[in-house]
């Protein structure tokens, strides 16, 4: 199911506009689109969790979306940028799914009476004009964002082969495409070579007022801001293996999640250091 916004969001400048798979200046995960059969074969045989597909026209994308539904989905359209004709594809490998699923479950388990107050939207397709995207894990409060046509307040995006820089572009898309209805974006990046997981919590805040800015323009201008960065290092020198968490627990603002002030026995959702250690262990298992 899809959610539509009233305006289109321009594709990020870092999204490639043309290349072939043999172009050594581009990432090896980048390929030029030819036809649905070749793309689905590539998705089925790739070992990574992320592909960049160029030269995908809006008509191509509509056709791919229909054929994916017939195939039974199995992968996600991370993002489609109609202007640059770039399609980003997420392949749900074990590590990728653990990166966002366990984190989201940790959050959901801490929401009081979650069945009555919170709706999981999973990888629902959201659209802004001709662009579109599917988060890894998403959700929002009931009744404010419980409908299928309403944007989530929380989005989690994970990456293994996808770079942290590209994940940040994803984060910007969610805020802009939703017209700022998305309130928190969590990024989870696994760096296997460094035995590390990086978590970033992004929110938005008003842009600093310019000397001659009007009140209306000033109040309407928001920009993403990095509120928290947490790193989790896997220490294989200990027995058993241990996980070192830096910068404390992950704290999610109740008001941003639920669009209201907390009531009795409610408050910010806190994913503790011990929770994060267990989370990292699940990712590496």
């Amino acid at each position: 199911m899809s959610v539509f916004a009233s305006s289109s969001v321009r594709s990020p400048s870092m999204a490639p506009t043309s290349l072939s798979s043999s172009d050594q200046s581009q990432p090896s995960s980048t390929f030029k689109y030819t036809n649905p059969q070749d793309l689905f074969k590539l998705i089925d045989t790739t070992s990574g969790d992320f592909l960049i597909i160029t030269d995908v026209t809006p008509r191509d994308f509509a056709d791919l979306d229909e054929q994916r539904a017939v195939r039974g989905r199995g992968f996600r359209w991370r993002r489609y940028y109609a202007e640059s004709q770039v399609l980003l594809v997420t392949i749900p490998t074990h590590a990728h799914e653990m990166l966002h699923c366990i984190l989201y479950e940790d959050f959901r388990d801490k929401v009081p009476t979650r069945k009555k107050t919170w709706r999981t939207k999973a990888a629902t397709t959201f659209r802004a004009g001709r662009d579109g995207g599917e988060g890894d894990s998403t959700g929002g409060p009931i009744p404010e964002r419980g409908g299928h046509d309403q944007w989530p307040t929380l989005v989690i995006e994970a990456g293994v082969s996808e770079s942290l820089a590209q994940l940040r572009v994803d984060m910007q898309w969610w805020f802009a495409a939703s017209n700022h209805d998305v309130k928190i974006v969590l990024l989870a990046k696994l760096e296997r070579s460094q035995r590390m997981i990086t978590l970033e919590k992004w929110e938005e805040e008003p842009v600093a007022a310019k000397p001659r800015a009007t009140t209306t323009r000033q109040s309407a201008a928001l920009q993403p801001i990095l509120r928290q960065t947490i790193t989790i290092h896997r220490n294989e020198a200990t027995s058993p293996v241990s996980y070192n968490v830096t910068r404390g627990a992950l704290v999610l603002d109740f008001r941003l999640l639920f669009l209201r002030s907390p009531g009795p026995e409610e408050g910010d959702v806190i994913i503790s250091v011990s929770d994060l250690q267990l989370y990292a262990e699940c990712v590496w298992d």
Side-chain angles (χ1 to χ4, degrees):
M1 58 193 69
S2 300
V3 177
F4 293 87
S6 59
S7 61
S8 178
V9 177
R10 294 179 63 86
S11 57
S13 59
M14 71 176 293
T17 56
S18 64
L19 54 85
S20 67
S21 59
S22 61
D23 186 341
Q24 297 303 310
S25 66
Q26 298 290 345
S28 59
S29 60
T30 306
F31 299 86
K32 183 176 180 179
Y33 178 73
T34 54
N35 58 67
Q37 291 71 32
D38 286 349
L39 176 56
F40 293 145
K41 181 178 180 180
L42 175 63
I43 291 171
D44 290 340
T45 57
T46 188
S47 60
D49 69 329
F50 180 69
L51 294 171
I52 302 172
I53 311 299
T54 67
D55 296 82
V56 181
T57 68
R59 179 170 293 184
D60 291 332
F61 179 60
D63 184 38
L64 285 168
D65 205 30
E66 290 181 3
Q67 295 200 37
R68 182 184 64 156
V70 172
R71 286 170 53 95
R73 208 162 181 174
F75 50 87
R76 292 188 280 279
W77 304 136
R78 165 78 89 186
R79 201 76 63 243
Y80 176 65
Y81 298 108
E83 183 178 343
S84 58
Q85 299 188 358
V86 172
L87 174 62
L88 310 181
V89 183
T90 295
I91 296 95
T93 63
H94 174 80
H96 183 101
E97 295 302 274
M98 291 301 98
L99 268 176
H100 69 90
C101 286
I102 301 301
L103 190 60
Y104 184 80
E105 289 173 3
D106 282 344
F107 155 75
R108 187 190 59 195
D109 290 345
K110 296 178 184 298
V111 175
T113 60
R114 59 183 181 274
K115 291 184 179 179
K116 297 180 180 180
T117 62
W118 186 263
R119 173 158 294 164
T120 295
K121 294 175 180 280
T124 296
T125 302
F126 294 87
R127 298 192 185 276
R130 296 189 301 168
D131 294 353
E134 298 169 358
D136 286 323
S137 288
T138 66
I142 300 173
E144 293 84 356
R145 300 291 178 81
H148 299 308
D149 60 343
Q150 295 174 302
W151 291 80
T153 55
L154 173 66
V155 174
I156 303 177
E157 295 276 34
V160 180
S161 54
E162 183 179 7
S163 69
L164 186 56
Q166 180 63 55
L167 284 171
R168 289 171 181 156
V169 174
D170 295 334
M171 169 272 299
Q172 292 174 323
W173 185 88
W174 282 105
F175 287 131
S178 70
N179 195 25
H180 312 290
D181 279 351
V182 171
K183 301 301 182 183
I184 300 174
V185 178
L186 296 180
L187 305 180
K189 170 61 179 170
L190 174 63
E191 298 282 1
R192 291 187 184 277
S193 62
Q194 300 180 45
R195 298 181 177 85
M196 179 178 72
I197 296 172
T198 300
L199 300 177
E200 292 187 349
K201 181 183 72 175
W202 290 84
E203 299 172 2
E204 286 190 298
E205 69 175 12
V207 176
K210 296 181 180 180
R212 297 184 180 180
T214 65
T215 302
T216 301
R217 289 179 57 195
Q218 177 182 341
S219 60
L222 296 171
Q223 64 182 3
I225 181 169
L226 180 58
R227 294 292 192 194
Q228 192 174 7
T229 301
I230 295 171
T231 57
I232 310 172
H233 289 86
R234 175 181 169 92
N235 185 358
E236 298 181 353
T238 61
S239 182
V241 172
S242 59
Y243 297 90
N244 302 320
V245 178
T246 62
R247 302 184 185 92
L250 176 61
V251 181
L252 304 179
D253 189 291
F254 184 95
R255 291 175 176 82
L256 294 179
L257 292 168
F258 291 91
L259 307 177
R260 61 177 175 84
S261 298
E265 300 183 3
E266 294 181 327
D268 293 345
V269 176
I270 300 175
I271 300 177
S272 69
V273 169
S274 59
D275 290 332
L276 293 173
Q277 289 171 328
L278 289 173
Y279 158 70
E281 184 177 351
C282 291
V283 172
W284 258 284
D285 277 350

